Every structure is written in structure tokens, then in C-alpha cells.
Amino acid sequence: MRAPAILPSTGRELYGAPMHTVDATTEAMIRSVLAYAENRLRLNPVPLDKGSRDPAELDAALKGLPGARPHTPDQVLGVWASVMAPAVISADSPRFLGFIPAAPTKASLLFDMLISCASIQGISWLEAAGAIHAENLVLRLIAERAGLPDTAGGCFVSGGSAGNLSALVVAREVAKRKAGPAAAGRRWRVAVSEDAHSSITNTLRICEMDALIVRSADHRLTGAGLRAAIEADGDPRSLAAVVATSGTTNAGIIDDLAGVAEVAREHGLWFHVDGAYGGAGLFAPSVRSSYDGIEHADSFIVDPHKWLFAPFDSAALLYRNPSVARSVHKQDASYLDVIHDAPGEWNPTDYAYHLTRRARGLPLWFSLSVYGTDAYSEAIETAIELARQTAAEIRRRDNLELIREPELGVVLFRRRGWGPAQYSQWADQLLDDQVAFIPPSAWEGETVARFAFLHPHTSMDLVCLILDRMD
């Protein structure tokens, strides 16, 4: 018997039937996945789930997935729903109070699904003018809240780390251009607070720059402290930039932005503001004055997937003068010439280190458009007020001590008499019991407890239950 001929693949296995028809397998998959998504979106509240699992247990459950032979969509989705999904702690649960949580709106989640279905390549105006225009409207809104000029602009990147890296690459190149050939080979530095985010340290390492650490007794970078550090420094000409933080991750501290901006101007330094977590406070009237000075920033980031209620992963990166950033990040290649043919068009790929990118700003655009900015302000204010009420509750309890007054939605406190083991046991039991995810943190070398409030549905009753478990 002759062996059957091997025919070239038509792609039917991956893409289904030709246009205008959908095969039975694809039809069933669409129904199953959409049903699962609908059920997930209807969860209220979202369950916390457990997170970490034994790798051997996961290996056994996922054996043969993927494999050489196909499986039905329901088989694979069943494994996800029964094994994999429960092994992920849900950052959008109102019981997720560690790290910096997330609380994407239903509108933003739904629109994120739509964007994925459309497979938008958001690098250029040529390919995605409508999507980019909508993203730019959101960037304009954020820039206005920060008081940046009408000419400010930028793009959405994957997160704060990507935003900080892209901005500080521009800062370095600007410093090199200003210094000229005489500074060739100079090792550039950036002035930072000791509480700057870890991504800043990582960015400096990647960019082969060093840090001038400006220390402060209260962990807040001030103009006076920065000026003193520069005056005491032996090589101020090697400074390219200063990074201030509008809401530190560990304690929610907003630096002295106005004072730092003044010193940056005096010394001709690029002024970058890392607002990945706390920059959303620009939308909260009760704390808006704390951000005075941010209007002088040369670059600024804020992560919508944190306190602007968008899905992962999204960071808004803004420049005072985007043409400078474009001169640094624009990529030239024969296959890219077509996207640069019209100089007035806005290509997000020109404003960060990336090329390929999702249209990450669209879920935020849709959600802001559906709910309105007033609803966002109210939701952010809710977390700020919860932090204030929690601080008052901690002061009321004799066995607890508030470490510092909260500025935003982070509350640091200690349980008197506890060491690292007690904090870990307390946190582990809370997670095992599905009460809350609230891992310990550290403050000045000491293990402490930390609430990170963001979800507007986190209740004071839950806070009291968590605190009761410290008795």
C-alpha cells in the first residue's frame, strides 16, 4: 500500500474555516471562553485565591498541555479554571492589600478584551490612527491634571519600569548633548532619594549611570536636601538628572516636587517624576496641592493599572517636550520609513525604547469615557479616606503603633512586641483563611505591617478584622 502523500498545511488547524464561516470547534471555543469571561466579570467581589502552589502539583495537572496532539477547548479551559486560576492571587480583589493592588473597572476589562480580539499593532499613526488619537486624549487629560503645557505628549508603555527607563535614557542623552565633546566618556549620574523605586536603580545600571543618593531623616526628598547634596558633591558636572517620587511604593510619600524642580532648574538638570503608583492622586482634590511643582517636570509617569483602575499592563509616559524624546528614541530602518513619511503624524514607537506595542491606553480611555472623571476622583478619594480611618483605628489600639501619617493610600504600622516570624505567621494565616493578602514589609530595617489601599470596595470592617487578628 502506498503511503498517503503529505500535503502542505492550510492553516485550518489554527485558524478554522475560510472567511465568513466558523467551524464547529471554533464556535464551541468562542462560546466557552466568552462564558468563562462573563462569569469572571460578574464576580462581585472577586475571590482572593491562594497563589503559590507546588510545581509538581501543577506539572501533574498540566501534563500534555501543550502536546503534539490537540485537545478540546473545554478540556484546556477546564484545567485553567480548576487548577491554574486558583493558583493566582487576584490583585483586583478588595482583599488584596499588599504590594500595590489593582482594581480595573468592568468597562476597562471588557474593552481590553475587544482590543485583543482586534489585534491592534499600536506603534504608528499609519496602522492605528484611531487608537492612538484616543490614547493621546487620555495623555492630554493626565498632562492637564499635572499642569504640563499643551505641547506635552508621550505614549503608553508596559509599566513604570519601562517608563522610567525610557525617560532617563532621554535625560542622559540630553546631558551628553549639552556637555558636548569635552565630556566624552563621562560617567553620568542621577540624584535620587533613598526611597526611589527599585526600577530607578535598575535603570541606572542598564544605562551605565550612577546614583547620587540624597538622604533624609523623614524619607522625603526636598529641594533643600538636594541642594545641600549637590553642594557637598565632588563632581556636580556629572549629574544629568534628578528623580523625584510622587507617592513612594512602600510608604506613599510625595517628595517636595516644587523644591526639587527649583534646584533642577538652577543646575540645568532633567527633572523626572516617578508617579507610577501615586501620580493618580492628581485626580483627588483633597491631596492635589501636595503635587505642586510637578508642572515643571521634564518627564512624568503614572501607571493606570494601579490607581487609575485599568488592566495590566499600562503606564502613561509624558514629556514636557516630546520632540526631544523623539530625537532619542526614533528608530530608523528601511522597513520603517513608511511610518515616518508624514512628519505631523504621532507614532508612539518614537517616544520610548519599544517598537511593537499594544494600544495599552485604550481600556483607560473607554473606562474614563463611560464613567467620567468625577467617578475616578471619588474612587481615589475613597482609598485615601480609608487610609486615614485606618490610621485613626491603629492609634486607638494599644498593641499597635502607627509609623507615619498616611499621605495617600499606604499605611505603615507595627505590632508592639512582634518580630519577623510573628508577622509572617499572621500574614500566612490571613491568606490561608482567604481573609486578606497583606504580606509584611520593612521600614528602616525592621519588619512591619503595611496596608496598600486602592480598591474602592475594601471596607473598614475588613480592616478591623485584620487588625483583630494581631491581638
XYZ file of all heavy atoms in Angstrom, residues 294-361:
555
model
N 4.955 69.636 40.133
C 5.016 68.610 39.095
C 4.882 69.226 37.707
O 5.331 68.648 36.709
C 3.928 67.543 39.330
C 4.262 66.269 38.553
C 2.546 68.065 38.997
C 3.380 65.088 38.891
N 4.308 70.420 37.663
C 4.148 71.092 36.369
C 5.486 71.466 35.732
O 5.556 71.786 34.546
C 3.274 72.341 36.530
C 3.888 73.455 37.372
C 3.632 73.288 38.870
O 3.172 72.203 39.289
O 3.898 74.260 39.616
N 6.564 71.410 36.509
C 7.905 71.714 35.980
C 8.644 70.473 35.484
O 9.781 70.580 35.018
C 8.740 72.392 37.063
C 8.154 73.676 37.568
N 7.955 74.772 36.760
C 7.692 74.028 38.807
C 7.416 75.754 37.470
N 7.240 75.328 38.708
N 8.018 69.321 35.584
C 8.703 68.081 35.210
C 9.046 68.065 33.724
O 8.267 68.510 32.878
C 7.830 66.879 35.546
N 10.233 67.534 33.410
C 10.597 67.279 32.012
C 10.005 65.961 31.538
O 9.773 65.782 30.335
C 12.124 67.241 31.867
C 12.751 68.597 32.125
O 12.469 69.529 31.342
O 13.501 68.733 33.115
N 9.781 65.040 32.477
C 9.113 63.778 32.164
C 8.390 63.303 33.415
O 8.780 63.618 34.537
C 10.102 62.717 31.669
O 11.188 62.553 32.569
N 7.345 62.530 33.189
C 6.471 62.112 34.283
C 5.798 60.809 33.878
O 5.417 60.626 32.724
C 5.419 63.196 34.534
C 4.236 62.772 35.373
C 4.422 62.290 36.658
C 2.941 62.868 34.880
C 3.330 61.898 37.433
C 1.854 62.491 35.644
C 2.050 62.006 36.926
N 5.689 59.869 34.828
C 4.965 58.625 34.556
C 3.897 58.387 35.612
O 4.031 58.798 36.766
C 5.901 57.392 34.496
C 6.525 57.105 35.873
C 6.971 57.558 33.429
C 7.092 55.710 36.004
N 2.833 57.698 35.195
C 1.810 57.199 36.112
C 1.262 55.908 35.513
O 1.080 55.808 34.300
C 0.685 58.241 36.340
C 0.005 58.634 35.037
C -0.339 57.719 37.348
N 1.041 54.908 36.361
C 0.565 53.604 35.897
C -0.956 53.514 36.022
O -1.475 53.391 37.145
C 1.180 52.475 36.735
C 2.643 52.244 36.442
O 3.192 52.948 35.578
O 3.235 51.347 37.076
N -1.683 53.524 34.916
C -3.140 53.312 35.010
C -3.520 51.958 35.593
O -4.611 51.816 36.162
C -3.600 53.439 33.553
C -2.589 54.340 32.928
C -1.287 53.954 33.563
N -2.641 50.943 35.466
C -3.000 49.640 36.031
C -2.878 49.625 37.554
O -3.173 48.599 38.177
C -2.180 48.511 35.400
C -0.711 48.545 35.666
N 0.224 48.389 34.671
C 0.018 48.693 36.787
C 1.443 48.435 35.170
N 1.331 48.627 36.462
N -2.493 50.732 38.134
C -2.527 50.845 39.588
C -3.768 51.639 39.977
O -4.868 51.103 40.031
C -1.230 51.469 40.101
C 0.003 50.578 39.875
C 1.221 51.122 40.567
C 2.386 50.147 40.510
N 3.068 50.133 39.197
N -3.614 52.942 40.203
C -4.692 53.712 40.837
C -5.596 54.437 39.845
O -6.365 55.298 40.224
C -4.081 54.698 41.814
C -4.849 54.908 43.066
C -6.042 54.336 43.434
C -4.489 55.778 44.136
N -6.438 54.787 44.662
C -5.497 55.675 45.123
C -3.420 56.628 44.368
C -5.458 56.400 46.311
C -3.376 57.346 45.552
C -4.381 57.225 46.510
N -5.506 54.067 38.567
C -6.448 54.614 37.587
C -7.336 53.501 37.013
O -7.936 53.663 35.957
C -5.712 55.364 36.476
C -5.144 56.732 36.891
C -4.342 57.364 35.755
C -6.256 57.680 37.336
N -7.337 52.357 37.707
C -8.361 51.334 37.503
C -8.405 50.770 36.084
O -9.479 50.547 35.517
C -9.740 51.885 37.919
C -9.707 52.582 39.249
C -9.866 53.958 39.359
C -9.456 51.863 40.409
C -9.817 54.600 40.587
C -9.415 52.499 41.650
C -9.585 53.866 41.743
N -7.216 50.541 35.509
C -7.095 49.915 34.190
C -6.458 48.537 34.353
O -5.829 48.249 35.369
C -6.249 50.793 33.266
N -6.582 47.662 33.364
C -5.964 46.334 33.455
C -4.448 46.415 33.287
O -3.914 47.377 32.730
C -6.586 45.561 32.280
C -7.686 46.416 31.752
C -7.379 47.817 32.149
N -3.768 45.369 33.761
C -2.345 45.229 33.469
C -2.176 45.028 31.967
O -2.996 44.392 31.320
C -1.775 44.000 34.189
C -1.768 44.107 35.687
C -2.573 43.269 36.438
C -0.962 45.016 36.337
C -2.565 43.340 37.819
C -0.950 45.102 37.721
C -1.757 44.261 38.462
N -1.157 45.520 31.312
C -0.089 46.335 31.849
C -0.102 47.671 31.136
O -0.220 47.741 29.938
C 1.258 45.632 31.685
C 1.509 45.171 30.238
O 0.660 45.428 29.362
O 2.544 44.555 29.963
N 0.020 48.753 31.882
C -0.126 50.069 31.271
C 0.538 51.142 32.129
O 0.299 51.224 33.331
C -1.614 50.408 31.107
O -1.791 51.686 30.552
N 1.388 51.947 31.482
C 1.982 53.121 32.131
C 1.937 54.280 31.153
O 2.289 54.130 29.977
C 3.418 52.856 32.553
N 1.490 55.432 31.628
C 1.483 56.640 30.812
C 2.809 57.363 31.004
O 3.193 57.677 32.131
C 0.320 57.546 31.217
N 3.494 57.612 29.906
C 4.794 58.293 29.903
C 4.625 59.621 29.186
O 4.241 59.658 28.006
C 5.835 57.427 29.203
C 7.169 58.066 28.795
C 7.918 58.588 30.022
C 8.021 57.063 28.027
N 4.887 60.719 29.887
C 4.709 62.062 29.336
C 6.015 62.837 29.359
O 6.796 62.730 30.312
C 3.658 62.825 30.141
C 2.197 62.465 29.867
C 1.315 62.929 31.001
C 1.743 63.089 28.546
N 6.236 63.622 28.311
C 7.382 64.518 28.225
C 6.897 65.950 28.064
O 5.918 66.206 27.338
C 8.253 64.178 27.012
C 8.834 62.790 26.989
C 8.204 61.771 26.267
C 10.013 62.495 27.661
C 8.739 60.495 26.229
C 10.557 61.216 27.626
C 9.909 60.222 26.908
O 10.444 58.957 26.868
N 7.587 66.873 28.712
C 7.290 68.289 28.508
C 7.518 68.663 27.048
O 6.722 69.381 26.444
C 8.186 69.131 29.423
C 8.193 70.635 29.116
C 9.044 71.385 30.115
N 8.416 71.297 31.420
C 7.436 72.094 31.845
N 6.985 73.053 31.059
N 6.914 71.936 33.032
N 8.629 68.181 26.501
C 8.984 68.461 25.107
C 9.172 67.124 24.390
O 10.284 66.600 24.332
C 10.259 69.299 25.038
C 10.594 69.708 23.621
O 9.970 69.261 22.659
N 11.597 70.564 23.471
N 8.111 66.557 23.835
C 8.229 65.223 23.248
C 9.167 65.151 22.053
O 9.675 64.068 21.742
C 6.789 64.881 22.853
C 6.015 66.138 22.923
C 6.727 67.047 23.857
N 9.430 66.269 21.396
C 10.339 66.218 20.250
C 11.741 65.818 20.678
O 12.478 65.177 19.912
C 10.368 67.568 19.527
O 10.900 68.585 20.369
N 12.126 66.180 21.901
C 13.435 65.769 22.411
C 13.472 64.257 22.586
O 14.441 63.590 22.205
C 13.745 66.487 23.741
C 15.056 65.976 24.337
C 13.818 67.986 23.531
N 12.415 63.712 23.157
C 12.345 62.256 23.327
C 12.363 61.558 21.971
O 13.014 60.511 21.800
C 11.084 61.883 24.095
N 11.673 62.123 21.011
C 11.643 61.524 19.677
C 13.032 61.496 19.049
O 13.399 60.535 18.368
C 10.671 62.301 18.791
C 10.437 61.681 17.416
C 9.360 62.453 16.660
N 9.032 61.795 15.409
C 9.666 62.017 14.252
N 10.666 62.898 14.206
N 9.306 61.381 13.150
N 13.805 62.532 19.294
C 15.159 62.565 18.726
C 16.050 61.475 19.313
O 17.064 61.112 18.710
C 15.788 63.939 18.961
O 16.135 64.122 20.346
N 15.674 60.956 20.475
C 16.453 59.895 21.126
C 15.921 58.511 20.746
O 16.689 57.602 20.438
C 16.420 60.068 22.660
C 17.084 58.876 23.360
C 17.111 61.367 23.062
N 14.594 58.353 20.740
C 14.015 57.014 20.629
C 13.595 56.610 19.214
O 13.360 55.420 18.971
C 12.794 56.902 21.548
C 13.147 56.790 23.004
N 13.886 55.747 23.509
C 12.852 57.601 24.064
C 14.036 55.907 24.820
N 13.423 57.013 25.177
N 13.474 57.546 18.297
C 13.020 57.208 16.941
C 13.952 56.177 16.307
O 15.165 56.347 16.287
C 12.966 58.458 16.077
C 12.571 58.218 14.629
C 12.443 59.543 13.889
C 12.262 59.327 12.395
N 13.526 58.928 11.743
N 13.367 55.105 15.813
C 14.137 54.039 15.168
C 14.088 54.215 13.654
O 13.017 54.408 13.078
C 13.585 52.661 15.550
C 13.679 52.371 17.039
C 13.306 50.940 17.384
O 13.579 50.021 16.620
N 12.702 50.749 18.542
N 15.239 54.133 13.028
C 15.346 54.286 11.579
C 15.716 52.957 10.942
O 16.675 52.306 11.346
C 16.406 55.336 11.230
C 15.996 56.738 11.648
O 14.897 57.158 11.267
O 16.772 57.402 12.371
N 14.917 52.568 9.961
C 15.185 51.362 9.185
C 14.372 51.454 7.897
O 13.329 52.123 7.857
C 14.791 50.110 9.976
N 14.828 50.776 6.864
C 14.144 50.865 5.580
C 12.686 50.435 5.679
O 11.807 51.023 5.037
C 14.870 50.001 4.544
O 14.949 48.651 4.986
N 12.415 49.433 6.515
C 11.047 48.946 6.647
C 10.191 49.846 7.528
O 8.980 49.622 7.643
C 11.045 47.510 7.185
C 11.948 47.297 8.380
C 11.542 47.608 9.669
C 13.235 46.792 8.203
C 12.372 47.426 10.746
C 14.081 46.606 9.281
C 13.644 46.923 10.557
O 14.489 46.742 11.630
N 10.804 50.860 8.165
C 10.047 51.798 8.992
C 9.870 53.159 8.327
O 9.151 54.009 8.860
C 10.742 51.993 10.345
C 10.819 50.769 11.265
C 11.613 51.105 12.520
C 9.433 50.263 11.633
N 10.525 53.364 7.176
C 10.454 54.679 6.543
C 9.013 55.107 6.266
O 8.663 56.282 6.400
C 11.236 54.675 5.225
C 12.743 54.628 5.449
O 13.169 54.888 6.598
O 13.484 54.338 4.484
N 8.156 54.141 5.916
C 6.789 54.471 5.539
C 6.006 55.102 6.689
O 5.123 55.929 6.465
C 6.067 53.207 5.008
C 5.896 52.171 6.107
C 4.719 53.574 4.408
N 6.329 54.729 7.939
C 5.559 55.300 9.056
C 6.031 56.706 9.404
O 5.381 57.395 10.190
C 5.599 54.399 10.312
C 6.969 54.449 11.006
C 5.200 52.975 9.977
C 6.997 53.742 12.339
N 7.160 57.126 8.831
C 7.678 58.462 9.109
C 7.519 59.400 7.923
O 8.074 60.497 7.919
C 9.160 58.379 9.503
C 9.386 57.665 10.801
N 10.207 56.581 10.930
C 8.867 57.877 12.041
C 10.208 56.153 12.183
N 9.402 56.919 12.878
N 6.754 58.988 6.910
C 6.608 59.809 5.713
C 5.863 61.112 5.979
O 6.113 62.122 5.324
C 5.880 59.019 4.613
C 6.788 58.006 3.932
O 8.018 58.101 4.141
O 6.273 57.125 3.217
N 4.920 61.086 6.922
C 4.142 62.287 7.245
C 4.611 62.819 8.596
O 4.243 62.275 9.637
C 2.658 61.958 7.279
N 5.424 63.875 8.608
C 6.048 64.352 9.857
C 5.063 64.727 10.946
O 5.375 64.651 12.132
C 6.845 65.581 9.389
C 7.064 65.378 7.933
C 5.849 64.646 7.434
N 3.855 65.144 10.601
C 2.909 65.578 11.620
C 2.200 64.446 12.331
O 1.487 64.681 13.299
N 2.384 63.227 11.859
C 1.696 62.097 12.477
C 2.403 61.662 13.760
O 3.609 61.839 13.905
C 1.620 60.934 11.479
C 0.758 61.273 10.270
C 0.722 60.157 9.245
O 1.509 59.192 9.402
O -0.075 60.251 8.294
N 1.623 61.101 14.687
C 2.139 60.733 16.009
C 2.360 59.233 16.074
O 1.413 58.457 16.012
C 1.145 61.167 17.089
C 1.746 61.146 18.461
C 1.782 60.100 19.331
C 2.396 62.232 19.117
N 2.418 60.463 20.492
C 2.808 61.773 20.387
C 2.670 63.554 18.749
C 3.471 62.594 21.301
C 3.323 64.362 19.655
C 3.723 63.883 20.916
N 3.609 58.827 16.215
C 3.965 57.418 16.287
C 4.452 57.091 17.689
O 5.551 57.501 18.066
C 5.053 57.081 15.269
C 4.625 57.360 13.852
O 3.497 57.080 13.476
N 5.514 57.919 13.050
N 3.681 56.361 18.498
C 4.097 56.058 19.868
C 5.453 55.373 19.958
O 6.147 55.508 20.972
C 2.972 55.138 20.369
C 1.775 55.560 19.592
C 2.299 55.895 18.233
N 5.846 54.653 18.935
C 7.150 53.987 18.967
C 8.307 54.972 19.068
O 9.412 54.589 19.441
C 7.327 53.107 17.715
O 8.531 52.357 17.836
C 7.414 53.956 16.461
N 8.059 56.255 18.765
C 9.134 57.251 18.775
C 9.418 57.824 20.157
O 10.346 58.634 20.295
C 8.780 58.420 17.836
C 8.757 58.027 16.376
O 9.340 56.986 16.033
O 8.151 58.767 15.577
N 8.652 57.427 21.181
C 8.764 58.111 22.463
C 9.184 57.204 23.618
O 9.172 57.624 24.773
C 7.436 58.816 22.780
C 7.081 59.798 21.693
C 6.189 59.456 20.686
C 7.709 61.039 21.623
C 5.900 60.338 19.649
C 7.432 61.929 20.596
C 6.529 61.570 19.612
O 6.263 62.447 18.590
N 9.585 55.966 23.297
C 10.088 55.041 24.312
C 11.008 54.048 23.612
O 11.174 54.089 22.393
C 8.939 54.324 25.023
N 11.609 53.156 24.375
C 12.591 52.240 23.799
C 11.954 51.131 22.970
O 12.640 50.355 22.324
C 13.447 51.611 24.903
C 12.717 50.599 25.747
C 12.614 49.265 25.350
C 12.097 50.972 26.934
C 11.925 48.335 26.112
C 11.409 50.051 27.702
C 11.331 48.735 27.285
O 10.637 47.820 28.033
N 10.634 51.045 22.966
C 9.929 49.927 22.331
C 9.766 50.151 20.827
O 9.989 51.237 20.298
C 8.547 49.744 22.973
C 7.688 50.986 22.926
N 6.694 51.245 23.833
C 7.686 52.050 22.081
C 6.114 52.393 23.546
N 6.699 52.892 22.479
N 9.316 49.120 20.152
C 8.789 49.232 18.796
C 7.377 48.649 18.821
O 6.409 49.369 18.909
C 9.689 48.503 17.786
C 9.319 48.720 16.300
C 9.377 50.182 15.923
C 10.227 47.887 15.399
N 7.270 47.322 18.812
C 5.952 46.695 18.925
C 5.287 47.065 20.248
O 5.927 47.085 21.292
C 6.095 45.170 18.846
O 6.686 44.823 17.595
C 4.744 44.481 18.979
N 4.019 47.371 20.194
C 3.292 47.689 21.421
C 1.799 47.478 21.219
O 1.270 47.668 20.128
C 3.536 49.140 21.875
C 2.995 50.180 20.912
C 3.188 51.602 21.410
N 2.295 51.953 22.481
C 1.043 52.400 22.302
N 0.536 52.520 21.101
N 0.299 52.723 23.329
N 1.133 47.067 22.303
C -0.319 47.053 22.337
C -0.827 48.482 22.524
O -0.104 49.342 23.028
C -0.836 46.200 23.501
C -0.440 44.765 23.470
C -0.985 44.013 24.689
N -2.421 43.806 24.576
C -3.314 44.289 25.424
N -2.931 45.022 26.449
N -4.594 44.045 25.268
N -2.048 48.715 22.164
C -2.666 50.015 22.419
C -3.143 50.039 23.866
O -4.341 49.977 24.170
C -3.806 50.262 21.450
N -2.174 50.146 24.781
C -2.446 49.945 26.203
C -3.314 51.029 26.830
O -3.858 50.843 27.907
C -1.121 49.887 26.970
C -0.289 48.667 26.695
C 0.962 48.701 27.561
N 1.713 47.470 27.432
C 2.650 47.266 26.516
N 2.939 48.225 25.662
N 3.288 46.117 26.467
N -3.391 52.177 26.185
C -4.166 53.261 26.785
C -5.646 53.195 26.495
O -6.436 53.925 27.113
